Amino acid sequence: MKLEIKNLSKTYANGVHALKSVNLSIGTGMFGLLGQNGAGKSTLMRTIATLQDADEGSITFGDIDVAKDPGELRKVLGYLPQEFGLYPSATAEEMLLHLADLKGIASKQERRDQVDTLLRKVNLHDKRTQRLGTYSGGMKQRFGIAQALLGDPKIVIVDEPTAGLDPTERNRFYNLLSEIGASITVILSTHIVEDVSTLCHDMAIIGDGEVLLTDDPRKVEASLRGKCWVKSIENEELERHCAEHEVIANHFHLGQMHITVVEENAPGDGFEPKEPTLEDAYFHTLALHRAGKNGK
Ligand code: ADP
């Protein structure tokens, strides 16, 4: 089933134009929505999840018109919000059974079976009688996925799920998400490029409420092939290089600053060719957007 978002716009009461005529078509599998903080990702996620309304535009999922029939969408939706409340003194099993009840899974046996299956799936079965208040960040996020999967959803939305996870927990979480994305639509909203490059077969970059680009991440990356150049410099040389080149990123590696530029032709000046990464393409897209805004 496809999620179709057409001309979706939202302006908050304080005048912030959080979504500007957003168009997206999202099929089965992992879709990455990448953008900086404040880009409008949560606004979009909450609108899809029927928690707030847009001012204009439409969202459909298969035959369901989300604005007209939010109840129908909720029946097939799983949502892991950026922040979700947990009862710290409840155990994972108690909480999931309670949430399964709220989700309308009427039969007690069915609730027990689903909760048992989900706890195994997210690798928390042996911790099921432990209080949620004692869970680590990664365990909480895996619990969050288990609650999002209650009721066998057809579309799952996860908002910034890997922020704050250590590398091991993040990897475990990636494995879990990619398993889920094999059969249903999963929208992963994130500001972490690695989340998208690791997991997603389709993506959009969002900036200032606008979709700046949408494509297969491999194609996005490849679009910069032959145009990416890198150079290691001293910190005090940064300003000059920024003035003379289109510097899209600078980062430190083993204490040395490296800058990346995107230019059609070899810039000379000590730059070496570089195989582009999704992060380069992301920064380049944001830089083009900023330049457009500044009228360059
Ligand atoms: P992201 O999830 O990408 O960080 P958000 O959707 O949270 O972005 O925010 C987009 C913009 O809308 C930001 O400028 C934010 O300050 C603003 N915003 C978000 N929620 C509200 C709200 N309830 N009222 C007013 N402004 C909001």
Side-chain angles (χ1 to χ4, degrees):
M1 276 213 278
K2 257 197 164 25
L3 183 79
E4 298 279 359
I5 301 171
K6 295 210 171 108
N7 300 318
L8 202 73
S9 293
K10 172 76 180 177
T11 304
Y12 285 109
N14 60 0
V16 173
H17 203 170
L19 297 176
K20 298 171 187 164
S21 204
V22 167
N23 288 287
L24 286 172
S25 178
I26 300 175
T28 302
M30 295 281 314
F31 184 92
L33 184 70
L34 183 61
Q36 293 178 309
N37 289 333
K41 302 182 298 298
S42 294
T43 302
L44 183 57
M45 298 297 101
R46 287 196 304 262
T47 312
I48 300 169
T50 76
L51 298 174
Q52 65 182 63
D53 294 326
D55 302 328
E56 277 171 52
S58 67
I59 305 175
T60 54
F61 183 59
D63 298 338
I64 304 169
D65 181 324
V66 175
K68 284 202 186 115
D69 226 342
E72 283 304 302
L73 197 269
R74 279 182 216 137
K75 284 186 197 160
V76 294
L77 171 82
Y79 181 42
L80 175 56
Q82 209 166 340
E83 282 174 13
F84 64 105
L86 289 173
Y87 292 102
S89 58
T91 70
E93 189 171 50
E94 286 165 356
M95 188 78 198
L96 282 178
L97 285 168
H98 174 62
L99 291 170
D101 200 7
L102 292 181
K103 190 110 193 180
I105 305 169
S107 133
K108 193 169 177 180
Q109 190 56 46
E110 171 69 5
R111 289 199 295 272
R112 290 220 155 274
D113 290 348
Q114 272 208 27
V115 166
D116 198 66
T117 307
L118 286 173
L119 282 167
R120 287 180 202 281
K121 186 173 194 127
V122 302
N123 216 353
L124 287 174
H125 195 260
D126 56 343
K127 304 280 192 310
R128 66 191 181 282
T129 55
Q130 202 172 306
R131 289 173 195 277
L132 291 167
T134 66
Y135 272 23
S136 70
M139 288 161 77
K140 280 184 187 148
Q141 286 306 70
R142 281 185 278 135
F143 173 83
I145 283 292
Q147 66 77 29
L149 291 177
L150 281 168
D152 205 9
K154 302 281 173 283
I155 175 165
V156 169
I157 294 174
V158 285
D159 199 352
E160 300 276 359
T162 65
L165 299 189
D166 70 35
T168 314
E169 284 178 332
R170 186 171 290 187
N171 260 334
R172 188 178 260 186
F173 197 72
Y174 283 160
N175 287 335
L176 180 59
L177 282 180
S178 68
E179 206 183 300
I180 299 164
S183 52
I184 60 175
T185 300
V186 181
I187 307 179
L188 167 70
S189 152
T190 184
H191 66 275
I192 300 169
V193 180
E194 190 198 344
D195 288 353
V196 178
S197 59
T198 310
L199 290 172
C200 300
H201 69 99
D202 200 4
M203 69 176 290
I205 296 176
I206 179 167
D208 293 320
E210 276 176 64
V211 174
L212 305 178
L213 174 156
T214 171
D215 211 338
D216 178 334
R218 284 165 299 189
K219 288 193 189 149
V220 173
E221 209 174 80
S223 68
L224 284 190
R225 201 157 284 152
K227 301 177 198 165
C228 235
W229 315 89
V230 67
K231 181 181 177 184
S232 61
I233 61 166
E234 299 305 323
N235 296 5
E236 55 274 17
E237 295 176 300
L238 180 61
E239 204 172 321
R240 170 178 82 78
H241 283 86
C242 286
E244 291 175 8
H245 300 279
E246 294 285 328
V247 177
I248 55 157
N250 65 73
H251 69 274
F252 283 90
H253 183 62
L254 304 176
Q256 177 74 49
M257 182 185 274
H258 296 263
I259 55 173
T260 302
V261 303
V262 172
E263 283 172 34
E264 288 291 332
N265 301 310
D269 197 13
F271 281 92
E272 301 283 343
K274 175 182 192 240
E275 192 56 29
T277 63
L278 188 60
E279 188 166 64
D280 295 329
Y282 173 51
F283 287 146
H284 180 55
T285 304
L286 294 182
L288 286 178
H289 174 62
R290 274 195 301 273
K293 271 204 319 191
N294 296 335
K296 273 196 203 165

mmCIF file of all heavy atoms in Angstrom, residues 187-224:
data_model
loop_
_atom_site.group_PDB
_atom_site.id
_atom_site.type_symbol
_atom_site.label_atom_id
_atom_site.label_comp_id
_atom_site.label_asym_id
_atom_site.label_seq_id
_atom_site.Cartn_x
_atom_site.Cartn_y
_atom_site.Cartn_z
ATOM 1 N N ILE A 187 8.364 4.631 8.043
ATOM 2 C CA ILE A 187 8.922 5.964 7.819
ATOM 3 C C ILE A 187 9.802 6.310 9.005
ATOM 4 O O ILE A 187 9.356 6.307 10.155
ATOM 5 C CB ILE A 187 7.819 7.025 7.671
ATOM 6 C CG1 ILE A 187 6.832 6.595 6.592
ATOM 7 C CG2 ILE A 187 8.433 8.372 7.304
ATOM 8 C CD1 ILE A 187 5.698 7.566 6.409
ATOM 9 N N LEU A 188 11.056 6.566 8.686
ATOM 10 C CA LEU A 188 12.052 6.841 9.716
ATOM 11 C C LEU A 188 12.453 8.314 9.595
ATOM 12 O O LEU A 188 13.042 8.718 8.603
ATOM 13 C CB LEU A 188 13.257 5.938 9.455
ATOM 14 C CG LEU A 188 14.547 6.235 10.187
ATOM 15 C CD1 LEU A 188 14.391 5.922 11.658
ATOM 16 C CD2 LEU A 188 15.675 5.401 9.610
ATOM 17 N N SER A 189 12.071 9.089 10.597
ATOM 18 C CA SER A 189 12.425 10.501 10.583
ATOM 19 C C SER A 189 13.693 10.684 11.411
ATOM 20 O O SER A 189 13.788 10.175 12.529
ATOM 21 C CB SER A 189 11.251 11.269 11.191
ATOM 22 O OG SER A 189 11.692 12.437 11.793
ATOM 23 N N THR A 190 14.680 11.382 10.865
ATOM 24 C CA THR A 190 15.962 11.449 11.561
ATOM 25 C C THR A 190 16.805 12.645 11.097
ATOM 26 O O THR A 190 16.607 13.147 9.991
ATOM 27 C CB THR A 190 16.767 10.141 11.327
ATOM 28 O OG1 THR A 190 17.960 10.169 12.080
ATOM 29 C CG2 THR A 190 17.094 9.927 9.864
ATOM 30 N N HIS A 191 17.722 13.095 11.966
ATOM 31 C CA HIS A 191 18.717 14.058 11.492
ATOM 32 C C HIS A 191 20.064 13.354 11.329
ATOM 33 O O HIS A 191 21.069 13.994 11.031
ATOM 34 C CB HIS A 191 18.818 15.257 12.453
ATOM 35 C CG HIS A 191 19.356 14.892 13.807
ATOM 36 N ND1 HIS A 191 18.558 14.418 14.819
ATOM 37 C CD2 HIS A 191 20.600 14.911 14.298
ATOM 38 C CE1 HIS A 191 19.305 14.160 15.877
ATOM 39 N NE2 HIS A 191 20.558 14.449 15.592
ATOM 40 N N ILE A 192 20.086 12.018 11.533
ATOM 41 C CA ILE A 192 21.331 11.266 11.480
ATOM 42 C C ILE A 192 21.449 10.563 10.129
ATOM 43 O O ILE A 192 20.671 9.652 9.816
ATOM 44 C CB ILE A 192 21.383 10.252 12.654
ATOM 45 C CG1 ILE A 192 21.311 11.034 13.978
ATOM 46 C CG2 ILE A 192 22.610 9.365 12.572
ATOM 47 C CD1 ILE A 192 21.090 10.202 15.201
ATOM 48 N N VAL A 193 22.417 11.015 9.318
ATOM 49 C CA VAL A 193 22.533 10.524 7.947
ATOM 50 C C VAL A 193 22.752 9.008 7.932
ATOM 51 O O VAL A 193 22.215 8.301 7.089
ATOM 52 C CB VAL A 193 23.690 11.239 7.219
ATOM 53 C CG1 VAL A 193 23.823 10.736 5.790
ATOM 54 C CG2 VAL A 193 23.481 12.746 7.233
ATOM 55 N N GLU A 194 23.524 8.515 8.892
ATOM 56 C CA GLU A 194 23.838 7.085 8.939
ATOM 57 C C GLU A 194 22.565 6.226 9.059
ATOM 58 O O GLU A 194 22.504 5.123 8.517
ATOM 59 C CB GLU A 194 24.756 6.825 10.144
ATOM 60 C CG GLU A 194 25.343 5.442 10.163
ATOM 61 C CD GLU A 194 25.872 5.069 11.554
ATOM 62 O OE1 GLU A 194 26.056 5.953 12.400
ATOM 63 O OE2 GLU A 194 26.081 3.867 11.762
ATOM 64 N N ASP A 195 21.553 6.734 9.755
ATOM 65 C CA ASP A 195 20.290 5.984 9.865
ATOM 66 C C ASP A 195 19.750 5.685 8.466
ATOM 67 O O ASP A 195 19.283 4.582 8.186
ATOM 68 C CB ASP A 195 19.213 6.810 10.595
ATOM 69 C CG ASP A 195 19.479 6.958 12.089
ATOM 70 O OD1 ASP A 195 20.414 6.327 12.591
ATOM 71 O OD2 ASP A 195 18.723 7.719 12.727
ATOM 72 N N VAL A 196 19.812 6.700 7.611
ATOM 73 C CA VAL A 196 19.234 6.563 6.272
ATOM 74 C C VAL A 196 20.151 5.731 5.380
ATOM 75 O O VAL A 196 19.696 4.824 4.680
ATOM 76 C CB VAL A 196 18.997 7.961 5.648
ATOM 77 C CG1 VAL A 196 18.447 7.832 4.237
ATOM 78 C CG2 VAL A 196 18.035 8.760 6.520
ATOM 79 N N SER A 197 21.479 6.011 5.447
ATOM 80 C CA SER A 197 22.377 5.267 4.554
ATOM 81 C C SER A 197 22.412 3.786 4.932
ATOM 82 O O SER A 197 22.600 2.931 4.085
ATOM 83 C CB SER A 197 23.784 5.873 4.549
ATOM 84 O OG SER A 197 24.323 5.870 5.848
ATOM 85 N N THR A 198 22.214 3.467 6.198
ATOM 86 C CA THR A 198 22.253 2.069 6.633
ATOM 87 C C THR A 198 20.980 1.321 6.248
ATOM 88 O O THR A 198 21.037 0.146 5.898
ATOM 89 C CB THR A 198 22.403 1.990 8.179
ATOM 90 O OG1 THR A 198 23.481 2.816 8.561
ATOM 91 C CG2 THR A 198 22.660 0.574 8.647
ATOM 92 N N LEU A 199 19.848 1.993 6.335
ATOM 93 C CA LEU A 199 18.577 1.263 6.320
ATOM 94 C C LEU A 199 17.670 1.477 5.125
ATOM 95 O O LEU A 199 16.878 0.603 4.801
ATOM 96 C CB LEU A 199 17.757 1.691 7.549
ATOM 97 C CG LEU A 199 18.231 1.248 8.913
ATOM 98 C CD1 LEU A 199 17.401 1.943 9.976
ATOM 99 C CD2 LEU A 199 18.086 -0.254 9.054
ATOM 100 N N CYS A 200 17.738 2.668 4.498
ATOM 101 C CA CYS A 200 16.611 3.057 3.650
ATOM 102 C C CYS A 200 16.872 2.836 2.167
ATOM 103 O O CYS A 200 17.986 3.037 1.704
ATOM 104 C CB CYS A 200 16.258 4.519 3.912
ATOM 105 S SG CYS A 200 15.786 4.778 5.630
ATOM 106 N N HIS A 201 15.835 2.453 1.437
ATOM 107 C CA HIS A 201 15.955 2.283 -0.007
ATOM 108 C C HIS A 201 15.332 3.478 -0.725
ATOM 109 O O HIS A 201 15.387 3.589 -1.935
ATOM 110 C CB HIS A 201 15.276 0.992 -0.449
ATOM 111 C CG HIS A 201 13.790 1.071 -0.298
ATOM 112 N ND1 HIS A 201 12.949 1.344 -1.333
ATOM 113 C CD2 HIS A 201 13.016 1.000 0.804
ATOM 114 C CE1 HIS A 201 11.714 1.410 -0.891
ATOM 115 N NE2 HIS A 201 11.727 1.202 0.409
ATOM 116 N N ASP A 202 14.717 4.339 0.049
ATOM 117 C CA ASP A 202 14.104 5.538 -0.530
ATOM 118 C C ASP A 202 14.174 6.624 0.535
ATOM 119 O O ASP A 202 14.151 6.319 1.737
ATOM 120 C CB ASP A 202 12.647 5.237 -0.895
ATOM 121 C CG ASP A 202 12.092 6.216 -1.901
ATOM 122 O OD1 ASP A 202 12.846 7.085 -2.376
ATOM 123 O OD2 ASP A 202 10.878 6.118 -2.206
ATOM 124 N N MET A 203 14.275 7.877 0.111
ATOM 125 C CA MET A 203 14.452 8.934 1.111
ATOM 126 C C MET A 203 13.983 10.286 0.588
ATOM 127 O O MET A 203 13.814 10.483 -0.609
ATOM 128 C CB MET A 203 15.940 9.071 1.472
ATOM 129 C CG MET A 203 16.758 9.630 0.335
ATOM 130 S SD MET A 203 18.493 9.912 0.758
ATOM 131 C CE MET A 203 18.373 11.286 1.879
ATOM 132 N N ALA A 204 13.791 11.202 1.526
ATOM 133 C CA ALA A 204 13.577 12.606 1.170
ATOM 134 C C ALA A 204 14.421 13.452 2.108
ATOM 135 O O ALA A 204 14.645 13.064 3.260
ATOM 136 C CB ALA A 204 12.101 12.967 1.319
ATOM 137 N N ILE A 205 14.901 14.567 1.587
ATOM 138 C CA ILE A 205 15.559 15.554 2.451
ATOM 139 C C ILE A 205 14.593 16.710 2.610
ATOM 140 O O ILE A 205 14.037 17.213 1.623
ATOM 141 C CB ILE A 205 16.890 16.034 1.837
ATOM 142 C CG1 ILE A 205 17.880 14.865 1.744
ATOM 143 C CG2 ILE A 205 17.486 17.183 2.665
ATOM 144 C CD1 ILE A 205 19.193 15.208 1.055
ATOM 145 N N ILE A 206 14.365 17.106 3.849
ATOM 146 C CA ILE A 206 13.426 18.193 4.126
ATOM 147 C C ILE A 206 14.197 19.328 4.802
ATOM 148 O O ILE A 206 15.056 19.093 5.646
ATOM 149 C CB ILE A 206 12.220 17.669 4.961
ATOM 150 C CG1 ILE A 206 11.224 18.757 5.288
ATOM 151 C CG2 ILE A 206 12.635 16.963 6.202
ATOM 152 C CD1 ILE A 206 9.898 18.217 5.833
ATOM 153 N N GLY A 207 13.924 20.546 4.357
ATOM 154 C CA GLY A 207 14.573 21.729 4.934
ATOM 155 C C GLY A 207 13.599 22.885 4.954
ATOM 156 O O GLY A 207 12.898 23.118 3.960
ATOM 157 N N ASP A 208 13.484 23.557 6.089
ATOM 158 C CA ASP A 208 12.543 24.676 6.229
ATOM 159 C C ASP A 208 11.139 24.327 5.726
ATOM 160 O O ASP A 208 10.499 25.131 5.046
ATOM 161 C CB ASP A 208 13.050 25.908 5.463
ATOM 162 C CG ASP A 208 14.311 26.466 6.078
ATOM 163 O OD1 ASP A 208 14.406 26.506 7.313
ATOM 164 O OD2 ASP A 208 15.224 26.847 5.319
ATOM 165 N N GLY A 209 10.686 23.100 6.024
ATOM 166 C CA GLY A 209 9.324 22.712 5.659
ATOM 167 C C GLY A 209 9.137 22.330 4.206
ATOM 168 O O GLY A 209 8.022 22.027 3.782
ATOM 169 N N GLU A 210 10.234 22.306 3.417
ATOM 170 C CA GLU A 210 10.131 21.962 1.999
ATOM 171 C C GLU A 210 10.836 20.646 1.716
ATOM 172 O O GLU A 210 11.906 20.400 2.283
ATOM 173 C CB GLU A 210 10.877 23.001 1.152
ATOM 174 C CG GLU A 210 10.123 24.241 0.821
ATOM 175 C CD GLU A 210 11.030 25.206 0.071
ATOM 176 O OE1 GLU A 210 11.470 24.882 -1.047
ATOM 177 O OE2 GLU A 210 11.335 26.271 0.637
ATOM 178 N N VAL A 211 10.286 19.853 0.808
ATOM 179 C CA VAL A 211 11.021 18.674 0.337
ATOM 180 C C VAL A 211 12.063 19.168 -0.663
ATOM 181 O O VAL A 211 11.724 19.727 -1.704
ATOM 182 C CB VAL A 211 10.071 17.649 -0.321
ATOM 183 C CG1 VAL A 211 10.869 16.508 -0.932
ATOM 184 C CG2 VAL A 211 9.096 17.116 0.710
ATOM 185 N N LEU A 212 13.335 18.995 -0.321
ATOM 186 C CA LEU A 212 14.412 19.520 -1.170
ATOM 187 C C LEU A 212 14.836 18.492 -2.214
ATOM 188 O O LEU A 212 15.373 18.857 -3.257
ATOM 189 C CB LEU A 212 15.629 19.906 -0.315
ATOM 190 C CG LEU A 212 15.362 20.890 0.826
ATOM 191 C CD1 LEU A 212 16.637 21.148 1.621
ATOM 192 C CD2 LEU A 212 14.809 22.205 0.274
ATOM 193 N N LEU A 213 14.583 17.211 -1.898
ATOM 194 C CA LEU A 213 15.038 16.151 -2.805
ATOM 195 C C LEU A 213 14.376 14.851 -2.368
ATOM 196 O O LEU A 213 14.151 14.646 -1.171
ATOM 197 C CB LEU A 213 16.546 16.062 -2.636
ATOM 198 C CG LEU A 213 17.412 15.010 -3.300
ATOM 199 C CD1 LEU A 213 18.814 15.564 -3.401
ATOM 200 C CD2 LEU A 213 17.424 13.735 -2.494
ATOM 201 N N THR A 214 14.034 13.988 -3.317
ATOM 202 C CA THR A 214 13.562 12.656 -2.939
ATOM 203 C C THR A 214 14.061 11.650 -3.967
ATOM 204 O O THR A 214 13.948 11.885 -5.163
ATOM 205 C CB THR A 214 12.030 12.613 -2.719
ATOM 206 O OG1 THR A 214 11.625 11.257 -2.569
ATOM 207 C CG2 THR A 214 11.237 13.243 -3.815
ATOM 208 N N ASP A 215 14.665 10.548 -3.484
ATOM 209 C CA ASP A 215 15.270 9.557 -4.391
ATOM 210 C C ASP A 215 15.807 8.370 -3.588
ATOM 211 O O ASP A 215 15.799 8.382 -2.359
ATOM 212 C CB ASP A 215 16.416 10.204 -5.185
ATOM 213 C CG ASP A 215 16.566 9.591 -6.574
ATOM 214 O OD1 ASP A 215 16.113 8.450 -6.777
ATOM 215 O OD2 ASP A 215 17.144 10.257 -7.448
ATOM 216 N N ASP A 216 16.331 7.402 -4.335
ATOM 217 C CA ASP A 216 17.053 6.286 -3.733
ATOM 218 C C ASP A 216 18.376 6.838 -3.164
ATOM 219 O O ASP A 216 19.110 7.514 -3.891
ATOM 220 C CB ASP A 216 17.303 5.265 -4.859
ATOM 221 C CG ASP A 216 18.096 4.062 -4.402
ATOM 222 O OD1 ASP A 216 18.864 4.173 -3.423
ATOM 223 O OD2 ASP A 216 17.959 3.014 -5.054
ATOM 224 N N PRO A 217 18.692 6.571 -1.888
ATOM 225 C CA PRO A 217 19.925 7.119 -1.305
ATOM 226 C C PRO A 217 21.187 6.805 -2.117
ATOM 227 O O PRO A 217 22.102 7.617 -2.179
ATOM 228 C CB PRO A 217 20.010 6.444 0.072
ATOM 229 C CG PRO A 217 18.632 6.039 0.392
ATOM 230 C CD PRO A 217 17.923 5.795 -0.908
ATOM 231 N N ARG A 218 21.201 5.636 -2.785
ATOM 232 C CA ARG A 218 22.397 5.300 -3.594
ATOM 233 C C ARG A 218 22.537 6.255 -4.770
ATOM 234 O O ARG A 218 23.630 6.646 -5.155
ATOM 235 C CB ARG A 218 22.299 3.857 -4.105
ATOM 236 C CG ARG A 218 22.602 2.825 -3.026
ATOM 237 C CD ARG A 218 22.163 1.465 -3.438
ATOM 238 N NE ARG A 218 20.708 1.456 -3.671
ATOM 239 C CZ ARG A 218 19.988 0.366 -3.888
ATOM 240 N NH1 ARG A 218 20.564 -0.799 -3.922
ATOM 241 N NH2 ARG A 218 18.689 0.450 -4.072
ATOM 242 N N LYS A 219 21.381 6.643 -5.330
ATOM 243 C CA LYS A 219 21.421 7.586 -6.461
ATOM 244 C C LYS A 219 21.802 8.977 -5.969
ATOM 245 O O LYS A 219 22.509 9.713 -6.648
ATOM 246 C CB LYS A 219 20.063 7.638 -7.156
ATOM 247 C CG LYS A 219 19.757 6.394 -7.939
ATOM 248 C CD LYS A 219 18.567 6.647 -8.843
ATOM 249 C CE LYS A 219 18.109 5.338 -9.461
ATOM 250 N NZ LYS A 219 16.681 5.311 -9.713
ATOM 251 N N VAL A 220 21.288 9.330 -4.788
ATOM 252 C CA VAL A 220 21.603 10.650 -4.226
ATOM 253 C C VAL A 220 23.116 10.755 -4.037
ATOM 254 O O VAL A 220 23.747 11.751 -4.416
ATOM 255 C CB VAL A 220 20.867 10.851 -2.874
ATOM 256 C CG1 VAL A 220 21.304 12.135 -2.205
ATOM 257 C CG2 VAL A 220 19.358 10.838 -3.091
ATOM 258 N N GLU A 221 23.675 9.692 -3.476
ATOM 259 C CA GLU A 221 25.117 9.648 -3.241
ATOM 260 C C GLU A 221 25.883 9.734 -4.569
ATOM 261 O O GLU A 221 26.808 10.526 -4.728
ATOM 262 C CB GLU A 221 25.424 8.301 -2.564
ATOM 263 C CG GLU A 221 26.592 8.287 -1.654
ATOM 264 C CD GLU A 221 26.671 6.934 -0.948
ATOM 265 O OE1 GLU A 221 27.156 5.969 -1.563
ATOM 266 O OE2 GLU A 221 26.237 6.855 0.207
ATOM 267 N N ALA A 222 25.432 8.924 -5.540
ATOM 268 C CA ALA A 222 26.147 8.831 -6.819
ATOM 269 C C ALA A 222 26.081 10.139 -7.601
ATOM 270 O O ALA A 222 26.948 10.397 -8.448
ATOM 271 C CB ALA A 222 25.566 7.694 -7.651
ATOM 272 N N SER A 223 25.077 10.980 -7.300
ATOM 273 C CA SER A 223 24.921 12.218 -8.063
ATOM 274 C C SER A 223 26.129 13.137 -7.888
ATOM 275 O O SER A 223 26.351 14.032 -8.693
ATOM 276 C CB SER A 223 23.637 12.936 -7.643
ATOM 277 O OG SER A 223 23.782 13.400 -6.312
ATOM 278 N N LEU A 224 26.911 12.911 -6.848
ATOM 279 C CA LEU A 224 28.080 13.786 -6.621
ATOM 280 C C LEU A 224 29.388 13.140 -7.110
ATOM 281 O O LEU A 224 30.459 13.711 -6.922
ATOM 282 C CB LEU A 224 28.232 14.098 -5.127
ATOM 283 C CG LEU A 224 27.274 15.102 -4.518
ATOM 284 C CD1 LEU A 224 27.720 15.463 -3.114
ATOM 285 C CD2 LEU A 224 27.185 16.364 -5.365
#
